[in-house]
Structure formats: structure tokens, C-alpha cells
């Protein structure tokens, strides 16, 4: 179990998994296990200017803790171990989810192209989103896994669908009603509609934008809002989210510089999903970032650009190691995350595929939250391992 502590509470015997430095440009939720610290290391870390740390309670020495340190605020709450049970397996759900996913991508491609010609047909959206929600109810991991592993020919279409799925999961995990979850899907699907109206040389630039180009890009929320506003029966919360998904908790966003409670809940949900997918996706000018590194950056934005409670909910919803992640275990085994655990984000279900010597082994499933002797050391890049997560999970090759 992970726990965030202040530097003043750091004690010898604690197992430090990450420090969030004051001036760190790459805070990383897991930059690497520092291990159990002694007196000298405690003093050294304090002198380096660290304010907070993540420690692993399960790997720390019990003598390092005092009773007052069990207060609320853990990244992972202390709850009974075990993963969430689904109505059907991922293997059973994948045909329906894959069909829905591809329908949504095709629809995204259609409306992004049509909007340039002044046309917009919203009628297919609700049926697709209803199908998404039904799929999530049967197996919540399947669509999330598709959104991560499915390769689509153009980022703009894939991004819209991914933000839609992530936003719906956020709303569902927050206990929203069915209609509220559907509205989150609408907001996520159409949040970047205005980008279709941005000049292609800016939208597809394989480099950092100039100040002048970025000023044009920042107009896309308003462009999308203006196109959606005249549509009959368009929900005002969805319109608000399309307009304000780039607003930030500290007022540093655009287009209106809103801050704090001025930003609607749905706008904040779409913003989180947008940031996560943008950072973790491969682009012409950057590689894909590991999900746990993306979450680390988002964590560093808490109480600044992002609201603390929103980030905590998002991390619990997604899990530090999403399904399909390739992980190196502390034992030296290599595995693929095959199911999430919303109760203990760092302890998903892992399918072991290689032994510590790198030899392939018969697949064996380990639930890290159910008394397993295994623990994750770090993520591994897919390209470097030669492991295909889709094959391990029994999914169609993407």
C-alpha cells in the first residue's frame, strides 16, 4: 500500500518509492525504488529540498511508523484485497467492445470531416455511447484496454474516442447516473471538435508550435462550442465542457481563465482525460509516455493546474498500471497486466510470461493484491521486450 508523507515524517526504515522534489521537472509517480532509507539518507533527502514522498507500507519496517501516521490521505485506501469482479471476461467482451470502438472511430472521422463543410449529424452518438456504457458494465477493463492498444491511423480521431471512454469511466467510477455518464461521453467525444477548424499546417505540425500558431490553436474550444451551440437539444453541461476543457484549477488555462469552482465538474473530468491521453499517446514529435509516468505528472499538477480530489479519483479509476502494461517484477519475472484493481492501484492482476532469466514460461496469472509474493518493480517498453500484450490477453492483433 502506498502512502504520501511530508518530508518531516520521513523516518529510517521506510521504503521510499518516489520523492516529489520542489524543482523537479519530471516528478514521476515512480522514478524508481530508492528502497529502505537509513539515517544518513533521510538527512540527505531533506537537504535536497524534497517536500513529500511516496512510501510503500508493505515493504517498510514497522518500527518506522507512529500511530499518527495512519491518518487519511493515502493514495490507496486500506481496503480488503482483491480485484473488481466483472460480469464477463475480457475475452468474452472483446468482440462487442471492438465493434463499438471501431464504430465510434468511424463516426469521429465522419463528424470531424463533415464539420469542415458545415455539417454535423449527432444522431449516431447516443447509440454508440449507450453501447459503451453497457460494455463497461459487463467488463470495465475492455474498452480501456482497446483505447490503449488499438492503433488508429490518425491521432485526432483516436484521441476523441479515448477521451470519450476515459470520461465515461470517470463518471461511472464517481457514481454518476446513467444519463450523466452518457453526457460525459458526449463531452469527451466532441471536446476537440473545434480542432477540425484549425489550419492543418498547425494541427499536424510535427514540432512545437510558435507563439502565433499556439494562439490560433487555443481558439479551438470556442470554435467547437460555436458549432455545437445551435444544435437542437444540446445539453448545456456538454457545451460547457467543450468550451472549458482547457481551463485549469489555478486559473492558468483558456479561453476564459476560469479557476477553482468556476470550472464545472464535467469540464474537469474531460480535462483530466484529455491530459492523460495526450501525454500517453505517441505523436509525430514525441514518443508515448508510460502510463505511470503520465499519472506522476498529473499528480504533480494537484492543487495547481488540477484539483486534488479529481486527480485522486482518476488514479484510483485507471490504476497506476493499466491493463496491457508490460511490467518487470521484483523477482525478475516479466508479465503483462491483465486486470486492474481499483482498490489497490499498484497491485493489479499480472500474467507472468518470462522467468528471471528471460525464458518464456507457461502463462501464469498472479493477483498481486491477494497475498501474492510478487510485486512490480517498473514498467518496460513494449518495443524493447518483443512481447505483444494483445496476444497475451487473448485479444485480436491490433
Amino acid at each position: 500500500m502506498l502512502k504520501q508523507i511530508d518530508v518531516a515524517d520521513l523516518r529510517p526504515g521506510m521504503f521510499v518509492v518516489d520523492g516529489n522534489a520542489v524543482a523537479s521537472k519530471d516528478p514521476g509517480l515512480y522514478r524508481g525504488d530508492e528502497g529502505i532509507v537509513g539515517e544518513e539518507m533521510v538527512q540527505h533527502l531533506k537537504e535536497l529540498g524534497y517536500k513529500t514522498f511516496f512510501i510503500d507500507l508493505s515493504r517498510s519496517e514497522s518500527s518506522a511508523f507512529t500511530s499518527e501516521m495512519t491518518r487519511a490521505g493515502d493514495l490507496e485506501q486500506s481496503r480488503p484485497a482483491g480485484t473488481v469482479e466483472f460480469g464477463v471476461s475480457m475475452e468474452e467482451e472483446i468482440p462487442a467492445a471492438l465493434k463499438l470502438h471501431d464504430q465510434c472511430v468511424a463516426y469521429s472521422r465522419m463528424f470531424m470531416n463533415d464539420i469542415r463543410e458545415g455539417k454535423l449529424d449527432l444522431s449516431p452518438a447516443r447509440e454508440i455511447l449507450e453501447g459503451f456504457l453497457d460494455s463497461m458494465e459487463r467488463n470495465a477493463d475492455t474498452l480501456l484496454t482497446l483505447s490503449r492498444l488499438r492503433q488508429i491511423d490518425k491521432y485526432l480521431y483516436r484521441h476523441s474516442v479515448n477521451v470519450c471512454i476515459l470520461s465515461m469511466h470517470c463518471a461511472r467510477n464517481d457514481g454518476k447516473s446513467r444519463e450523466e455518464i452518457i453526457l460525459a461521453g458526449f463531452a469527451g467525444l466532441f471536446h476537440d471538435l473545434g480542432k477540425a477548424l484549425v489550419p492543418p499546417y498547425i494541427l499536424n505540425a510535427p514540432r512545437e508550435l510558435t507563439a502565433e500558431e499556439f494562439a490560433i490553436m487555443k481558439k479551438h474550444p470556442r470554435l467547437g462550442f460555436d458549432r455545437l451551440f445551435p444544435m437542437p437539444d444540446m445539453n448545456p453541461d456538454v457545451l460547457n465542457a467543450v468550451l472549458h476543457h482547457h481551463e485549469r484549477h489555478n486559473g492558468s488555462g483558456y479561453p476564459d481563465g476560469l479557476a477553482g469552482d468556476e470550472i464545472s465538474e464535467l469540464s474537469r473530468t474531460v480535462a483530466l482525460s484529455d491530459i492523460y491521453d495526450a501525454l500517453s499517446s505517441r505523436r509525430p514529435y514525441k514518443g508515448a509516455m508510460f502510463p505511470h509516468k503520465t499519472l506522476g505528472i498529473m499528480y504533480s499538477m494537484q492543487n495547481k493546474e488540477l484539483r486534488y480530489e479529481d486527480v485522486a479519483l482518476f488514479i484510483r479509476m485507471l490504476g497506476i498500471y493499466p491493463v496491457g502494461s508490460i511490467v518487470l517484477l521484483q523477482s525478475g519475472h516479466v508479465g503483462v497486466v491483465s486486470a486492474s484493481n481499483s482498490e489497490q492501484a499498484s497491485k493489479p492482476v499480472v500474467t507472468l510470461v518470462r522467468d528471471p532469466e528471460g525464458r518464456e514460461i507457461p502463462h501464469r496469472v498472479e493477483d498481486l493484491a491477494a497475498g501474492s509474493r510478487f510485486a512490480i518493480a517498473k514498467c518496460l517498453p513494449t518495443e524493447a521486450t518483443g512481447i505483444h500484450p494483445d496476444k497475451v490477453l487473448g485479444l485480436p492483433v491490433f
Side-chain angles (χ1 to χ4, degrees):
M1 185 176 73
L2 300 184
K3 183 178 182 66
Q4 184 189 10
I5 65 168
D6 294 332
V7 66
D9 292 328
L10 186 63
R11 300 284 187 274
M14 292 181 177
F15 196 108
V16 177
V17 294
D18 181 61
N20 186 9
V22 177
S24 174
K25 294 183 178 179
D26 179 20
L29 193 54
Y30 293 101
R31 276 205 302 273
D33 286 344
E34 277 78 10
I36 293 178
V37 295
E39 285 280 5
E40 291 185 5
M41 181 57 70
V42 169
Q43 186 59 36
H44 178 62
L45 292 173
K46 291 179 179 179
E47 291 172 354
L48 286 175
Y50 285 75
K51 285 187 174 181
T52 62
F53 292 90
F54 279 114
I55 59 173
D56 189 334
L57 299 181
S58 66
R59 290 185 279 172
S60 296
E61 297 173 355
S62 59
S63 59
F65 299 95
T66 56
S67 58
E68 63 267 21
M69 291 188 65
T70 60
R71 61 185 180 273
D74 296 351
L75 178 61
E76 298 181 18
Q77 301 298 321
S78 180
R79 299 177 185 177
T83 53
V84 176
E85 295 294 330
F86 299 126
V88 301
S89 68
M90 184 183 295
E91 186 176 7
E92 292 175 286
E93 181 57 28
I94 194 67
L98 184 59
K99 181 178 179 180
L100 285 165
H101 186 272
D102 287 352
Q103 285 178 347
C104 195
V105 171
Y107 175 58
S108 174
R109 184 182 288 110
M110 182 192 76
F111 72 69
M112 284 291 192
N113 290 329
D114 284 355
I115 197 66
R116 298 185 180 100
E117 302 174 9
K119 300 183 295 183
L120 183 59
D121 181 9
L122 300 181
S123 58
R126 176 167 285 273
E127 183 177 354
I128 293 172
L129 298 177
E130 292 275 3
F132 273 179
L133 183 50
D134 290 340
S135 176
M136 292 174 190
E137 295 291 348
R138 293 189 295 268
N139 187 297
D141 278 340
T142 306
L143 278 170
L144 281 176
T145 305
L146 282 176
S147 69
R148 181 163 179 264
L149 299 181
R150 188 87 164 127
Q151 298 300 310
I152 306 301
D153 58 352
K154 193 167 184 179
Y155 169 77
L156 187 58
Y157 309 140
R158 181 179 75 247
H159 178 65
S160 296
V161 176
N162 289 355
V163 173
C164 168
I165 292 170
L166 287 165
S167 297
M168 292 181 73
H169 268 281
C170 283
R172 181 172 175 269
N173 276 265
D174 199 26
K176 301 299 184 186
S177 68
R178 185 175 181 88
E179 182 60 23
E180 288 172 317
I181 299 171
I182 296 295
L183 291 178
F186 270 105
L189 187 59
F190 294 114
H191 81 287
D192 267 351
L193 180 68
K195 282 188 176 179
L197 306 173
V198 171
Y201 80 91
I202 295 177
L203 186 64
N204 302 317
R207 53 173 172 77
E208 187 174 349
L209 299 180
T210 66
E212 293 77 13
E213 290 169 340
F214 188 55
I216 295 173
M217 179 66 83
K218 287 169 67 175
K219 294 179 181 179
H220 80 267
R222 179 71 64 182
L223 293 171
F225 173 87
D226 289 344
R227 290 301 177 99
L228 287 172
F229 184 79
M231 302 300 293
D233 302 320
M234 179 55 64
N235 184 278
D237 291 334
V238 172
L239 287 170
N240 195 315
V242 170
L243 181 61
H244 292 143
H245 67 276
H246 279 290
E247 301 291 353
R248 298 294 179 255
H249 184 65
N250 60 3
S252 63
Y254 61 87
D256 296 323
L258 303 182
D261 292 339
E262 294 176 322
I263 308 170
S264 73
E265 183 178 14
L266 185 52
S267 298
R268 300 195 312 267
T269 296
V270 175
L272 283 164
S273 302
D274 177 56
I275 291 169
Y276 177 83
D277 188 67
L279 288 174
S280 58
S281 294
R282 184 182 300 277
R283 305 288 295 278
Y285 51 87
K286 76 172 189 69
M289 185 179 293
F290 282 143
H292 65 289
K293 287 289 186 182
T294 299
L295 293 173
I297 289 177
M298 294 174 70
Y299 184 87
S300 74
M301 298 168 72
Q302 285 183 126
N303 289 332
K304 292 180 284 187
E305 294 91 346
L306 302 175
R307 189 168 170 262
Y308 177 90
E309 295 83 358
D310 295 339
V311 177
L313 175 66
F314 193 86
I315 292 175
R316 287 197 299 271
M317 177 272 294
L318 193 61
I320 299 169
Y321 304 104
V323 174
S325 301
I326 300 175
V327 292
L328 174 67
L329 303 180
Q330 291 176 2
S331 63
H333 290 81
V334 175
V336 175
V337 175
S338 50
S340 61
N341 182 358
S342 61
E343 305 298 338
Q344 297 189 67
S346 66
K347 297 183 178 182
V349 175
V350 175
T351 300
L352 304 184
V353 296
R354 289 180 183 167
D355 67 14
E357 284 71 44
R359 296 173 300 211
E360 292 188 8
I361 59 175
H363 293 180
R364 185 169 93 244
V365 177
E366 286 284 337
D367 186 344
L368 304 192
S372 172
R373 66 183 178 88
F374 294 97
I376 293 174
K378 63 179 180 178
C379 276
L380 297 174
T382 302
E383 299 81 3
T385 64
I387 295 171
H388 299 280
D390 43 11
K391 293 182 179 179
V392 174
L393 298 174
L395 308 179
V397 177
F398 298 147

